[in-house]
Amino acid sequence: MRLSRYFLPVLKEDPKEAQIVSHRLMLRAGMIKQQAAGIYSWLPLGLKVLRRIEQIVHEEQQRAGHIPLLMPTLQSADLWRESGRYDDYGEEMLRIKDRHKRDLLYGPTNEEMVTDIFRSHVNSYKDLPLTLYHIQWKFRDEIRPRFGVMRGREFLMKDGYNFDLTKEDALHAYNRHLVSYLRTYERMGLQAIPMRADGGPIGGDYTHEFLVLAETGESEVFYDSQITDLTFGDRQIDYDDVEQCQAVLEEFTSRYARTDETHDQALFDQIPEDRRRSARGIEVGQIFYFGTKYSEPMGATVVGPDGSRVPVHMGSHGIGVSRLLGAIIEASHDDKGIIWPEGVTPFHVGIVNLKQGDVSTDSACEAIYAELKTRGLDPLYDDRDERAGAKFASMDLIGLPWRVTVGPRGLANNKVELTNRRTGESEEMSPQEAVDRLQQIYLPVLNAGAPAAAK
Amino acid sequence: MRLSRYFLPVLKEDPKEAQIVSHRLMLRAGMIKQQAAGIYSWLPLGLKVLRRIEQIVHEEQQRAGHIPLLMPTLQSADLWRESGRYDDYGEEMLRIKDRHKRDLLYGPTNEEMVTDIFRSHVNSYKDLPLTLYHIQWKFRDEIRPRFGVMRGREFLMKDGYNFDLTKEDALHAYNRHLVSYLRTYERMGLQAIPMRADGGPIGGDYTHEFLVLAETGESEVFYDSQITDLTFGDRQIDYDDVEQCQAVLEEFTSRYARTDETHDQALFDQIPEDRRRSARGIEVGQIFYFGTKYSEPMGATVVGPDGSRVPVHMGSHGIGVSRLLGAIIEASHDDKGIIWPEGVTPFHVGIVNLKQGDVSTDSACEAIYAELKTRGLDPLYDDRDERAGAKFASMDLIGLPWRVTVGPRGLANNKVELTNRRTGESEEMSPQEAVDRLQQIYLPVLNAGAPAAAK
């Protein structure tokens, strides 16, 4: 993309309404615009990151064998009366009357609707296991929306639902989700720690929250420092392998890690003192097993192997897609702006032309731009007629991990500068070397989405 | 995808509620499920087609230089009070009160919001031309929702908005949209004819509707039969070239083609009688130029070259993304089911194993399945233990354009059968030849999304 043709309204001043750094930086970098309390437009740069995150979530869900569908944003109140949650949910549910005075609501979650889809179409245990998920806009009418997309009212969430014949099968689905979430967050450059959590209004005994450590986190968390040494890495997982998934769950949840809601000081004190940590965390996902809580009242049953009807065992599993942008920025920024991890950056590299209008720098930039695109990369070329300082400041603010700087002095020796946003280190090399290096850097990112061996 | 692991709830019986063929076939093929009047879940197969259509729209919009953003589904009523449309819009607008009794609405369109974004961030004519678009869920509270996704209440639409300094520039944006729409629909296998239309509640003197001819269309249309001979084909267009875009507009709109709203019998009668046609049409898009209708009351101005502030000239341009599924099916089906054009088919090819469990047919199917995926194709492998007749009926119903049939008798001579869904013609060939042929068939589809030469 050429910046002269893009819509990137960066702000020079810190917006007053933003209390936390991610909100401030998203506004300054021209990523979002508030349209009403807790309701945002995603400007082009913000949308690009949102789509990268969404894409990673889709790829990892489908790698785990989960099937995408899309439920609507509005739901009939009648479904929620069946489960008993229409009255329970309180003021956070946005209730709506249509022109015929029928009760609708803007879905805050989809257990009822997906259970309705299941009961309408699935009849036999032979169609199990089944996990359906969608990524759709939700609404929760927060009394005090704040912190930008971290606590918005209209927000994008991935929510998935497993249907299994037995509790044992459903717990495998639970484990499968835990494994896929570990992969998902790592691809976004995040360490998200699964912590034992509280069921809340969804219900359920088995539940883990995934938390990203950050000073501005809304939850207080307590953990054994050994847990932050764990990484999932690029290990191959067979998601059908019950033992393999169980082993990952045990590896990542056997050390103490809890939010304040489930914290147990006596247990915590058993950890050697030098490994005890308390910190703040941002919740970016949660998984639940809740058995027959919805299938029983709503009649979601299958004919089992013995010919009798049994309610299915279910769980639900969420990732806060829009909130992740805030969490990533909270975990990765400096005083100049955002520092995107390579997995989610809106553009892979910025090209800064130090002398726009100069025939040789223009043509060198054009060549680099075209060659990067040929290699499958997505560059942002700052082709505006602006001072170098302003161009650098914009690039630092929007946080692309790599920058190629092209000026007449370097070009005289066939050199451009490749700069790492995180370390600030620059290296001179030929344009060709810069393109090769960038391709090498992004190879793991571009290949990460490749499907596992045909299933 | 293996059918044994997919969620494809096809219906054997014709659903009673469906009055038109696309609605009936979408229900029978397990593509959608109604959740409330005019509100649908998109089951996995339906979502796949929806995403293919969305992807084509994105690619063609971006090829034309238009910039994607994403505005929220809910909007503040205050914005609509500024334009005066809050009171005008009537009962089709879904009005909502939040917990603090503030007036919100579920956006039926986005002129006001995008104008607000523009006025907040753009100040100079140097930032023009600018066209912003999004693909987002909309809601219109139709009094009698019907015909499935053709006249739903919650529906997916692409709406784009151009901002230009002069009327002349804005009319180029209008032409650019017309050209991009012609390309868009042709990639979906549709002939959509631009017809002179009526401005309606959006307003504006310049407006064309795009109509797909189909017996079940809601509009009566009148046209010169020469217009159906026009195709856009694979001509290269420079979207910045004013004359080139104007020439396409003239080519496609100089012959008589109008809906009943703007029909002029006297003009129509001037066409030679053998070329006069009247038929039914389904509206799948509309483009508007409306000048300063929103920019003036809402204060969307820029500083012009002479230093004075002027309101920008605007237009809006819509494609009915979810409705297109219905339109495509209305235009392309037979009594066995849907016939997807290759550009939008949910899976590129179906593989039917005639003897599931037989070692040699199973392994031949596996090899074909894996090889198709390696070539970048997306096959659906019917690996269920079902009768051949049932497998054929399902494949015909869901309408994949090509089928590979693998059975022990053919395999004894290293033959499989490649069948064209539209013509019903089958040809025997080796598995290798079938894979090669399919790759060849889909080459234009897979390449159609490739970006034009770097801009």
Side-chain angles (χ1 to χ4, degrees):
Chain A
M1 178 57 68
R2 289 161 199 281
L3 197 38
S4 64
R5 287 172 161 255
Y6 202 47
F7 180 60
L8 182 68
V10 301
L11 307 180
K12 293 217 173 69
E13 308 289 319
D14 269 340
K16 283 186 208 119
E17 71 263 39
Q19 295 163 33
I20 61 171
V21 67
S22 60
H23 189 193
R24 195 160 64 233
L25 288 174
M26 288 182 78
L27 289 168
R28 284 202 51 206
M31 294 177 66
I32 52 173
K33 173 175 169 22
Q34 181 166 292
Q35 303 289 170
I39 301 178
Y40 290 87
S41 281
W42 295 79
L43 302 182
L45 193 77
L47 178 61
K48 269 201 110 171
V49 181
L50 191 70
R51 290 293 180 236
R52 297 247 198 240
I53 290 174
E54 215 179 324
Q55 183 62 24
I56 290 173
V57 174
H58 272 302
E59 285 169 2
E60 294 304 328
Q61 285 305 300
Q62 291 176 43
R63 192 192 305 273
H66 306 159
I67 310 286
L69 47 53
L70 187 64
M71 292 174 270
T73 61
L74 297 195
Q75 306 188 16
S76 161
D78 289 340
L79 265 183
W80 289 68
R81 293 193 178 105
E82 279 192 59
S83 71
R85 285 207 294 179
Y86 189 64
D87 296 322
D88 295 352
Y89 219 91
E91 289 207 273
E92 283 198 5
M93 177 184 278
L94 188 68
R95 294 156 207 263
I96 303 171
K97 276 199 196 296
D98 71 10
R99 67 192 295 171
H100 298 299
K101 308 293 171 217
R102 282 175 299 217
D103 290 320
L104 299 173
L105 57 95
Y106 200 121
T109 177
N110 285 66
E111 281 80 7
E112 284 80 359
M113 191 177 278
V114 79
T115 303
D116 177 53
I117 290 171
F118 181 89
R119 72 181 173 187
S120 305
H121 291 300
V122 181
N123 198 38
S124 161
Y125 77 97
K126 289 179 192 162
D127 295 322
L128 306 183
L130 178 66
T131 295
L132 300 171
Y133 79 93
H134 73 162
I135 300 182
Q136 178 60 293
W137 294 93
K138 309 283 191 299
F139 200 92
R140 285 187 194 157
D141 201 358
E142 298 266 358
I143 189 157
R144 266 185 303 280
R146 61 202 152 133
F147 304 153
V149 300
M150 296 274 282
R151 185 161 292 206
R153 292 197 292 169
E154 185 169 329
F155 61 98
L156 189 61
M157 192 167 101
K158 170 256 156 181
D159 41 323
Y161 305 87
N162 67 285
F163 301 90
D164 289 278
L165 183 61
T166 63
K167 176 173 180 181
E168 192 186 0
D169 291 349
L171 289 179
H172 171 56
Y174 184 90
N175 297 351
R176 209 169 56 224
H177 278 88
L178 181 130
V179 177
S180 71
Y181 280 26
L182 292 171
R183 275 189 73 108
T184 300
Y185 296 121
E186 278 196 18
R187 282 185 61 187
M188 298 175 189
L190 279 180
Q191 180 169 50
I193 303 169
M195 299 197 182
R196 183 177 290 218
D198 184 52
I202 308 257
D205 301 328
Y206 293 78
T207 176
H208 281 89
E209 274 180 5
F210 289 75
L211 286 111
V212 173
L213 301 179
E215 282 166 28
T216 48
E218 74 275 55
S219 313
E220 192 173 6
V221 299
F222 302 87
Y223 60 96
D224 178 340
S225 68
Q226 284 192 336
I227 211 163
T228 55
D229 299 333
L230 296 173
T231 58
F232 190 79
D234 58 359
R235 51 180 116 171
Q236 293 302 310
I237 282 279
D238 177 352
Y239 282 103
D240 293 337
D241 186 326
V242 171
E243 284 170 24
Q244 224 180 37
C245 292
Q246 176 69 26
V248 174
L249 174 102
E250 282 166 17
E251 178 185 348
F252 280 83
T253 62
S254 60
R255 288 169 192 81
Y256 190 92
R258 297 196 179 184
T259 64
D260 46 7
E261 287 173 338
T262 54
H263 180 53
D264 179 329
Q265 191 65 38
L267 274 178
F268 189 58
D269 287 340
Q270 290 171 22
I271 308 169
E273 193 168 355
D274 63 318
R275 281 167 33 200
R276 275 180 233 155
R277 297 281 187 282
S278 77
R280 313 284 312 171
I282 300 169
E283 192 210 322
V284 292
Q286 188 159 7
I287 56 178
F288 295 92
Y289 161 73
F290 46 66
T292 60
K293 178 179 158 109
Y294 299 92
S295 58
E296 247 175 304
M298 294 187 65
T301 61
V302 291
V303 175
D306 64 356
S308 68
R309 284 211 162 261
V310 286
V312 289
H313 287 256
M314 293 174 58
S316 72
H317 315 278
I319 292 180
V321 173
S322 48
R323 145 173 280 235
L324 270 164
L325 278 92
I328 292 170
I329 296 172
E330 292 293 334
S332 182
H333 67 271
D334 63 16
D335 51 10
K336 294 180 197 160
I338 302 165
I339 307 174
W340 292 114
E342 273 118 6
V344 299
T345 183
F347 295 97
H348 292 129
V349 49
I351 304 170
V352 169
N353 184 340
L354 292 180
K355 201 171 178 190
Q356 200 71 39
D358 177 82
V359 175
S360 80
T361 52
D362 285 6
S363 76
C365 287
E366 291 293 340
I368 293 168
Y369 180 65
E371 185 61 23
L372 287 167
K373 289 175 76 150
T374 304
R375 308 275 182 105
L377 296 179
D378 189 4
L380 178 67
Y381 172 21
D382 190 344
D383 61 343
R384 297 170 307 160
D385 186 15
E386 283 274 1
R387 289 179 305 105
K391 289 189 175 188
F392 289 147
S394 285
M395 282 291 177
D396 284 346
L397 173 62
I398 69 172
L400 309 187
W402 296 91
R403 187 182 80 208
V404 178
T405 309
V406 183
R409 228 176 298 170
L411 280 180
N413 302 311
N414 193 36
K415 297 286 186 202
V416 298
E417 208 178 58
L418 182 64
T419 306
N420 179 302
R421 170 71 181 85
R422 193 176 294 279
T423 64
E425 283 165 16
S426 290
E427 208 179 323
E428 287 210 324
M429 59 188 75
S430 73
Q432 188 60 43
E433 283 168 320
V435 168
D436 289 344
R437 182 81 70 85
L438 286 163
Q439 185 176 26
Q440 212 53 43
I441 288 165
Y442 279 103
L443 214 54
V445 169
L446 297 177
N447 288 340
K455 273 271 178 177
Chain B
M1 179 58 65
R2 290 160 198 281
L3 198 39
S4 64
R5 286 173 161 254
Y6 201 47
F7 180 60
L8 182 68
V10 302
L11 307 181
K12 295 219 172 71
E13 308 289 318
D14 269 341
K16 283 185 209 125
E17 71 264 39
Q19 296 165 34
I20 62 172
V21 67
S22 59
H23 189 191
R24 193 160 63 235
L25 288 175
M26 286 182 79
L27 290 168
R28 283 202 51 206
M31 294 178 67
I32 52 172
K33 172 174 170 25
Q34 180 167 291
Q35 302 290 169
I39 302 178
Y40 289 87
S41 281
W42 295 79
L43 302 183
L45 194 76
L47 177 61
K48 267 199 113 175
V49 181
L50 191 70
R51 291 294 180 233
R52 297 247 198 239
I53 289 174
E54 215 180 326
Q55 182 62 24
I56 291 173
V57 174
H58 272 302
E59 286 168 1
E60 294 306 327
Q61 286 304 300
Q62 290 176 44
R63 192 192 305 273
H66 305 160
I67 310 285
L69 47 51
L70 187 64
M71 291 174 271
T73 61
L74 297 196
Q75 306 187 16
S76 162
D78 289 339
L79 264 183
W80 289 68
R81 293 193 177 106
E82 281 192 58
S83 73
R85 286 208 293 179
Y86 189 64
D87 295 324
D88 295 353
Y89 218 92
E91 289 207 274
E92 283 197 6
M93 178 184 279
L94 188 68
R95 293 157 207 261
I96 303 170
K97 275 198 194 298
D98 72 10
R99 66 191 295 172
H100 299 298
K101 308 294 171 216
R102 282 176 298 217
D103 290 321
L104 299 173
L105 57 95
Y106 200 121
T109 177
N110 286 65
E111 281 79 7
E112 284 80 358
M113 192 178 277
V114 79
T115 304
D116 177 53
I117 290 172
F118 181 89
R119 72 181 172 185
S120 305
H121 290 301
V122 181
N123 198 39
S124 162
Y125 78 97
K126 290 180 190 162
D127 295 324
L128 306 182
L130 178 66
T131 294
L132 300 171
Y133 80 94
H134 73 163
I135 300 181
Q136 178 61 295
W137 293 93
K138 309 282 190 299
F139 200 92
R140 285 187 194 157
D141 202 358
E142 298 266 358
I143 190 157
R144 266 186 302 279
R146 60 203 153 134
F147 304 153
V149 302
M150 297 275 281
R151 187 160 290 206
R153 294 197 292 170
E154 185 170 329
F155 61 98
L156 189 61
M157 193 167 102
K158 171 256 156 183
D159 41 324
Y161 306 88
N162 67 285
F163 301 91
D164 288 279
L165 182 61
T166 64
K167 176 172 179 180
E168 193 186 358
D169 291 349
L171 289 178
H172 172 57
Y174 184 90
N175 297 352
R176 210 170 55 224
H177 278 89
L178 182 130
V179 177
S180 72
Y181 280 26
L182 291 171
R183 275 189 73 108
T184 301
Y185 296 121
E186 278 196 20
R187 281 186 63 188
M188 298 175 189
L190 280 180
Q191 181 170 51
I193 304 170
M195 300 199 180
R196 184 176 290 220
D198 185 53
I202 307 259
D205 301 328
Y206 294 79
T207 176
H208 280 90
E209 274 180 5
F210 288 77
L211 285 110
V212 173
L213 301 179
E215 282 166 29
T216 47
E218 74 274 57
S219 312
E220 192 173 5
V221 300
F222 303 87
Y223 61 95
D224 177 341
S225 69
Q226 284 191 336
I227 210 162
T228 55
D229 299 333
L230 297 173
T231 57
F232 189 80
D234 58 0
R235 53 180 115 173
Q236 291 303 308
I237 282 279
D238 177 352
Y239 281 103
D240 292 337
D241 186 327
V242 170
E243 284 170 25
Q244 223 180 40
C245 292
Q246 176 70 27
V248 174
L249 173 102
E250 282 166 17
E251 178 184 349
F252 281 83
T253 62
S254 60
R255 290 170 190 80
Y256 190 92
R258 297 195 180 184
T259 64
D260 46 6
E261 287 174 336
T262 54
H263 180 53
D264 179 330
Q265 191 65 38
L267 274 178
F268 189 60
D269 287 340
Q270 291 171 21
I271 307 168
E273 192 169 357
D274 63 320
R275 281 167 31 201
R276 273 181 235 152
R277 298 280 185 283
S278 75
R280 312 285 311 173
I282 300 168
E283 191 211 324
V284 292
Q286 189 159 7
I287 56 178
F288 295 93
Y289 160 73
F290 46 66
T292 59
K293 178 179 157 112
Y294 298 93
S295 57
E296 249 176 302
M298 295 186 66
T301 61
V302 291
V303 176
D306 64 356
S308 69
R309 284 212 160 262
V310 287
V312 289
H313 286 257
M314 292 174 58
S316 71
H317 315 278
I319 292 180
V321 173
S322 49
R323 145 174 279 237
L324 270 165
L325 277 93
I328 293 169
I329 295 172
E330 291 294 334
S332 184
H333 66 271
D334 63 14
D335 53 9
K336 294 182 196 159
I338 302 165
I339 307 175
W340 292 114
E342 273 118 4
V344 299
T345 183
F347 294 97
H348 293 130
V349 48
I351 303 170
V352 169
N353 186 340
L354 292 180
K355 200 172 178 189
Q356 201 69 40
D358 176 84
V359 175
S360 81
T361 53
D362 286 5
S363 76
C365 288
E366 292 291 339
I368 293 167
Y369 180 65
E371 185 60 23
L372 287 166
K373 289 176 75 151
T374 303
R375 308 274 183 108
L377 296 179
D378 189 6
L380 178 67
Y381 171 22
D382 190 344
D383 60 343
R384 298 170 307 161
D385 186 15
E386 284 273 1
R387 289 177 306 104
K391 290 188 174 187
F392 290 145
S394 285
M395 284 291 178
D396 285 346
L397 173 62
I398 69 172
L400 309 188
W402 296 93
R403 188 182 79 209
V404 178
T405 310
V406 182
R409 228 176 297 172
L411 279 180
N413 302 311
N414 193 35
K415 297 284 185 204
V416 298
E417 209 177 57
L418 183 65
T419 306
N420 180 304
R421 169 70 180 86
R422 192 175 296 277
T423 64
E425 282 165 18
S426 289
E427 209 179 321
E428 287 209 324
M429 59 188 76
S430 73
Q432 187 60 42
E433 284 169 318
V435 168
D436 289 344
R437 181 81 69 86
L438 287 163
Q439 184 176 28
Q440 211 54 42
I441 289 165
Y442 279 103
L443 214 54
V445 169
L446 296 178
N447 288 339
K455 272 271 178 178

